[in-house]
Amino acid sequence: MDSNLIKNALKQVKFPGFSRDIVSFGLVREVGIDSGGNALIGIEITTGNQEVPEQIAAEVKSVVGALDGINDVKVRMEISQPQQQPAPGAPAGNGSAAKGSSAMQKVKFAVAIASGKGGVGKSTVSVNLACALQQLLEEEGRPGVGLMDSDIYGPSVPLMLGAAGRPEIANDMIVPIENFGVRIMSMGFLIDEETPVVWRGPMIMKTIQQFAQNVDWGELEILLIDLPPGTGDAQLSLVQTIPLEGAVIVTTPQPAAFNVARRGARMFDKVSVPILGVVENMSYLAGPDGARQAIFGAGGGAEIAASLECDLFGQIPLDPSIREGSDRGIPIVISDPDSAAAKEFMQVARQILKKLPKK
Ligand code: ADP
């Protein structure tokens, strides 16, 4: 009997009131077994409803107890109280992982865009994919796209999408700012550049919870979440807060990016969020004759995709107009749809749509 079998069995335990299980919500913190077949399961949960942990503990005991070779099951529950009451309309027994449910009820798929480190073009990829997905969904008459910029240290999405101003509040909910048909929410709308960075750290979880709970996203087919770069605790708690359908990893082609991106992937593994695919950015510079120059090396994206057993969705060229477009607030997908970069972004967006289940 090894702990992976137990972890697998725990996927049968649903969070009360939700179709997702406690493993994918990231509530399982510890799975142990001694040589006598005594299992110890550690669960961390934020809830004000005493019945929720009781129900989870009972189900954990029942599914793990049913496994061959298990003698006894102990469940260690760590319960913390939610800081805020669940928003009206939220299901009973709302836990931390499910907090976003009320404002995000009409959001069909939440997809994270992640990178192991900063500067790889994660935000650039996020804004272009948001516009590309928006166009594709609009053509099909489907609901649109939202983009949540959760990078509170360097919120660049508003600038890149030419969105400015202060969001309005209506019915106690923050109304996202819309541009190019994409509904955008960013810390950049709420704080000014002078806000000291030390104040931002503690704000990160609060912000994300607010963005999930108190933003009136309305009906969306896809909410893209531009994660802060890196794979630390902040990112982990973030991916636990919002029920994600999957993640897209952005990387650059140099082999050195490999380990960093892998660490990111491991974080999603912990919370059982599938990696949908990899986007390699700054892959090559095309010369006037069409010859491709690999400025930052080659092969990183393909290598990461192979090791994560997922698709390499695309390779975005280095193109000065991508940066200029970002600075002007018009993504290249909109400003120059015939460019190689824009076509590649559209192609990546089509693959993302294909990966999402029919709901
Ligand atoms: P991250 O979100 O990973 O920190 P950004 O998206 O902010 O990275 O990109 C960093 C810088 O690189 C920005 O100035 C952006 O315009 C530029 N950039 C990103 N991708 C490309 C590209 N394919 N070609 C040219 N410039 C790019």
Side-chain angles (χ1 to χ4, degrees):
M1 168 61 61
D2 76 12
S3 57
N4 278 332
L5 285 175
I6 300 180
K7 201 167 174 190
N8 236 347
L10 288 172
K11 291 182 186 163
Q12 294 166 42
V13 180
K14 301 274 185 273
F15 192 94
F18 286 82
S19 59
R20 280 190 71 163
D21 64 89
I22 57 170
V23 178
S24 76
F25 269 145
L27 305 182
V28 178
R29 292 304 169 93
E30 186 185 359
V31 175
I33 173 126
D34 68 14
S35 51
N38 301 305
L40 176 68
I41 320 290
I43 290 183
E44 225 177 85
I45 188 169
T46 306
T47 180
N49 180 349
Q50 190 49 39
E51 283 172 24
V52 170
E54 281 169 11
Q55 196 175 332
I56 291 178
E59 273 188 57
V60 165
K61 283 189 177 169
S62 131
V63 296
V64 177
L67 295 172
D68 279 346
I70 295 289
N71 189 25
D72 180 44
V73 185
K74 284 216 165 26
V75 180
R76 184 157 59 207
M77 274 286 174
E78 250 178 65
I79 305 169
S80 47
Q81 294 295 317
Q83 291 169 342
Q84 267 183 307
Q85 284 306 307
N94 201 6
S96 72
K99 270 188 180 154
S101 53
S102 65
M104 288 179 44
Q105 238 164 21
K106 288 183 280 176
V107 174
K108 217 187 255 180
F109 303 112
V111 174
I113 313 281
S115 69
K117 63 182 180 95
V120 301
K122 177 178 49 58
S123 297
T124 306
V125 170
S126 299
V127 299
N128 277 286
L129 284 181
C131 292
L133 286 164
Q134 173 65 30
Q135 283 183 14
L136 293 172
L137 291 168
E138 203 173 299
E139 279 165 20
E140 293 179 19
R142 288 157 74 185
V145 176
L147 177 55
M148 184 197 289
D149 176 12
S150 57
D151 189 346
I152 64 166
Y153 293 100
S156 44
V157 165
L159 266 180
M160 290 182 173
L161 277 173
R166 296 247 168 216
E168 285 176 19
I169 308 280
N171 301 324
D172 288 336
M173 299 286 273
I174 308 173
V175 182
I177 291 186
E178 193 174 314
N179 210 10
F180 308 115
V182 176
R183 287 174 219 164
I184 310 149
M185 192 56 221
S186 168
M187 201 59 187
F189 295 141
L190 306 178
I191 52 173
D192 49 49
E193 281 165 20
E194 263 76 81
T195 305
V197 162
V198 284
W199 287 2
R200 299 188 188 194
M203 279 157 64
I204 189 158
M205 270 316 291
K206 194 99 203 94
T207 307
I208 299 316
Q209 282 172 6
Q210 289 244 326
F211 284 3
Q213 263 184 327
N214 300 354
V215 173
D216 183 11
W217 290 105
E219 190 176 4
L220 290 181
E221 188 78 14
I222 299 179
L223 177 64
L224 291 183
I225 299 162
D226 184 1
L227 289 185
T231 52
D233 283 349
Q235 288 78 0
L236 184 63
S237 18
L238 207 151
V239 297
Q240 289 172 326
T241 302
I242 298 171
L244 293 170
E245 196 65 39
V248 173
I249 307 276
V250 181
T251 184
T252 46
Q254 61 266 59
F258 182 78
N259 284 330
V260 188
R262 260 217 75 93
R263 239 180 289 145
R266 236 177 278 140
M267 170 176 80
F268 290 108
D269 198 40
K270 266 193 206 156
V271 288
S272 300
V273 171
I275 309 282
L276 302 177
V278 173
V279 176
E280 189 186 83
N281 186 31
M282 311 191 187
S283 296
Y284 60 90
L285 186 68
D289 55 354
R292 295 180 172 191
Q293 217 184 324
I295 306 267
F296 293 130
E303 208 177 330
I304 291 165
S307 99
L308 301 178
E309 295 176 5
C310 66
D311 294 342
L312 175 61
F313 278 156
Q315 294 177 292
I316 314 294
L318 256 174
D319 182 343
S321 25
I322 293 185
R323 193 195 47 74
E324 284 155 23
S326 292
D327 293 349
R328 277 192 303 141
I330 311 176
I332 195 161
V333 162
I334 306 280
S335 64
D336 189 2
D338 291 328
S339 62
K343 285 183 180 158
E344 192 72 356
F345 278 126
M346 291 303 287
Q347 194 267 113
V348 172
R350 272 185 216 104
Q351 293 186 70
I352 293 177
L353 286 181
K354 265 196 221 141
K355 287 274 169 199
L356 296 174
K358 297 270 168 286
K359 277 202 209 171

